[in-house]
Amino acid sequence: MRPLSAPRRDPAPSRLAYRAQRIWLTPLFRSLIRTGLPTFLIVFLAASYLSNPATKDSIHDVIENVRQSVAERPEFKVERMAIDGASEELSQDIAEVTNIDFPMSSFDLDLPGLRERVATLDAVAEVRVRIRSGGILQVDVVERKPKLVWRSREMLETIDAEGRRVGALASRIDRPDLPLVAGDGADVAAAEALRVYAAAGPLAPRIRGLLRVGERRWDVILDEDQRILLPEAAPVRALEQVIAIDQAQDIFARAIVAIDMRLPHRPTLRLTEPALEELRHLRALSVGAEAR
Amino acid sequence: MTDLYQTQRTMRNMRKAAMQRGLVAILDVGTSKIACLILRFDGPEVFRESDGIRSLAGQSSFRVIGAATTRSRGVRYGEISAMQETERAIRTAVQAAQKMANVRVDHVIACFAGGNPRSYGLAGEIDLQDGIVQDQDVGRVLSACEMPDYGDEREVLHAQPVNFALDHRSGLDDPRGQVGGRLACDMHMLTVDTTAIQHLLYCIKRCDLELAGIASSAYVAGIASLVEDEQELGAACIDMGGGATGLSIFIKKHMIYADSVRMGGDHVTSDISKGLQVPLATAERIKTFYGGVVATGMDDREIIEVGGETGDWERDRRTVTRSELIGIMRPRVEEILEEVRARLDAAGFEHLPSQQIVLTGGASLIPGLDGLAPKILGQRVRIGRPMRVQGLPQAATGAAFAGAVGLTLFAAHPQDEWWDFEVPSDRYPARSLKRAIRWFRDNW
């Protein structure tokens, strides 16, 4: 007799189900399915969508439009440029160099580039560029101060205390207030030249200029064709020594052409031609008297 | 012999790999149920040598994270008789346990009761070369044991050194480093039918698992059910399973004898089925609900509805009294216990200093067994339950799970077996590079 009830269901998993469960319980496989596969799908779909050039362009357009609409808002509009700390002439130069058509959006302004371009100007020592509220491009400039006039072989220039070029001069008469230096390499030693000028003291009204000789030492040119040859090292001390001699013996009032201080412990005088003749004559006389 | 050595070595390596991964499955292939436990090992740092005896005797190192039981199919007398059916049952248990643990296990340690286990006591002795026992001397003395002819169709399941003796001093646990002239050892060897192991191996391989160890269920039930004193002083554990009743004798914490009686709870069920003319499933239900072995006057009045399930519901309303049921069950239980008694007598159990007997296994849950067993086995009988292991579900703590629980302990702390020691160089096959290396290491 067959049993009336249906045969009991076999609880055993099939081989396939068993294997599937074991594979699913493998940690690597599990993480692959749960994170690897979705990641791959998302990346793949995004890549396939973006690889179409038309969609790429349209996305680009949308981004560009949004950017444009934001950039064109009045809050970001720059109306004009304000330059502080620059002379009239320099301001014109800066305006020429920056060359911006106002009004324009602050998004389109390349501030670091602007700053760099302004800094290339010779007369500008330091520059800060920022956009101020109210749509103003603020350029703060610290100008170089001309301290010397340098007469080089080609031209006449003003230079600052560090020897950097500030501007060109048409003639010496334009800046009579600045002392003059000349010769090759005079700009490099501008600081030293200024120290020499500062030490000149009572001689200052008589100084016509400093001449750089051989790019290593200074000659002080005085009026009446007199000159002081300063040494390479410690020229200020040597000049002070000359001033002391002058004050004691009033040496420049005599018939000399130059005081040679190149050896500081042994100042040497160069006399004018008539004085030399006179000296020789006097010596001959004294020699003759002795001979007699 | 070398062949067996290699297989067992491979299994030990597999076990080591499983320990490194920290996951191993326990499979108790029984006649009535297949239990699968999944153990997670927390790693060796849990053991601290300074602790001496470790907390919870070292069991805190692992945790049961998955447990599943399924009705066994295709297993008779503790041996696999229908391979496909058993494979499906193992798959069911393993899948459910994996699902509970939410991990995948690849290594499995299995035990089974059948295969006609047979015990051999072996003895061997060697002369020590340099007067101090070295590591390789232990291997040598184990290899020096005289091998009995246990037949071609048998395989060694356990080969445990039980005792070492150095000169006239006996009872050494670990002779290494001690000074003496002559080292002797006693080894207990358990052999089972090769086919039983091969069938189990095949089923486990078909489930994509790898066997990391194999044990006799009588042995592991003893580990689980005997308390430490009993193991030390001498006790027998009787694992009353469905199709086979295993017995193992322990002394000094070593198993010295194991055997099995090819009768168990299933025979009681089939007796009930035949006696009451009911299907086996009904008989099993009646046995578990109303079964017993000691009849009292009360039992004459307790009427059990048998319900023949013949389809004739109006006429077939048979009933039996409980004393009738006991009358059917008791002779079979007595027969099993008497058979066990005979095996114990044959093993010389009465010579042990302490003769504690512990009954465990599913069939030991029959009510009244604690009254019946002392009449046959002697006064010192108790019904044992396996010790608790961490994480084991409440449903799996009963006596029926003694084998599975013992196997977890076995997996965590396997006893030294013969194959855990280095083979002396002359046992390697000739012209082996390993042999040359061994020879160099032994001689310099």
Side-chain angles (χ1 to χ4, degrees), chain A residues 1 4-5 8 10-19 21-23 25-27 30, chain B residues 71 73 87-88 91-92 94-95 98-99 102-106 206-209 310-311:
Chain A
M1 192 174 180
L4 290 177
S5 56
R8 207 191 274 177
D10 185 5
S14 69
R15 236 171 125 69
L16 201 65
Y18 175 76
R19 288 229 170 113
Q21 192 222 18
R22 280 172 66 79
I23 285 181
L25 285 176
T26 310
R30 213 180 161 121
Chain B
R71 184 172 61 96
R73 281 164 294 159
E87 183 205 324
R88 289 157 76 83
R91 236 190 281 149
T92 315
V94 171
Q95 191 187 36
Q98 281 185 151
K99 194 170 179 183
N102 203 22
V103 288
R104 171 195 172 148
V105 284
D106 290 327
R206 288 270 295 169
C207 292
D208 303 334
L209 299 166
T310 52

Side-chain angles (χ1 to χ4, degrees), chain B residues 254-326:
Chain B
H254 288 289
M255 177 174 67
I256 55 165
Y257 180 80
D259 205 341
S260 88
V261 177
R262 288 162 78 80
M263 274 188 289
D266 282 0
H267 295 85
V268 179
T269 309
S270 78
D271 283 351
I272 295 170
S273 170
K274 286 169 189 163
L276 301 181
Q277 299 281 320
V278 289
L280 272 177
T282 315
E284 180 74 30
R285 190 176 60 85
I286 291 172
K287 181 184 83 171
T288 46
F289 280 156
Y290 309 105
V293 286
V294 181
T296 61
M298 180 71 178
D299 292 331
D300 289 335
R301 295 192 293 279
E302 190 173 345
I303 308 293
I304 302 166
E305 294 258 349
V306 171
E309 272 197 31
T310 52
D312 190 357
W313 194 77
E314 279 83 10
R315 308 277 160 68
D316 189 12
R317 304 285 307 272
R318 283 175 285 149
T319 55
V320 290
T321 60
R322 185 163 181 243
S323 51
E324 275 177 285
L325 179 65
I326 289 171

Side-chain angles (χ1 to χ4, degrees), chain B residues 192-254:
Chain B
V192 290
D193 287 342
T194 311
T195 50
I197 293 186
Q198 276 173 347
H199 292 167
L200 183 64
L201 210 63
Y202 179 79
C203 283
I204 285 172
K205 193 135 278 174
R206 288 270 295 169
C207 292
D208 303 334
L209 299 166
E210 296 202 68
L211 199 60
I214 192 162
S216 157
S217 74
Y219 170 54
V220 292
I223 300 176
S225 306
L226 299 181
V227 299
E228 206 170 347
D229 290 352
E230 288 168 346
Q231 285 186 19
E232 178 72 34
L233 298 174
C237 173
I238 296 168
D239 175 22
M240 304 178 73
T245 298
L247 64 115
S248 54
I249 301 177
F250 280 74
I251 191 165
K252 292 195 151 208
K253 292 183 181 157
H254 288 289

Side-chain angles (χ1 to χ4, degrees), chain A residues 75-114:
Chain A
E75 289 87 342
F76 297 114
K77 195 166 279 183
V78 177
E79 299 280 357
R80 59 197 181 82
M81 180 159 69
I83 301 171
D84 280 359
S87 63
E88 193 70 18
E89 198 179 339
L90 186 58
S91 298
Q92 274 169 15
D93 284 353
I94 288 172
E96 207 168 288
V97 160
T98 52
N99 190 22
I100 302 170
D101 317 337
F102 292 107
M104 88 187 289
S105 167
S106 63
F107 280 75
D108 299 332
L109 272 178
D110 173 23
L111 289 185
L114 208 61

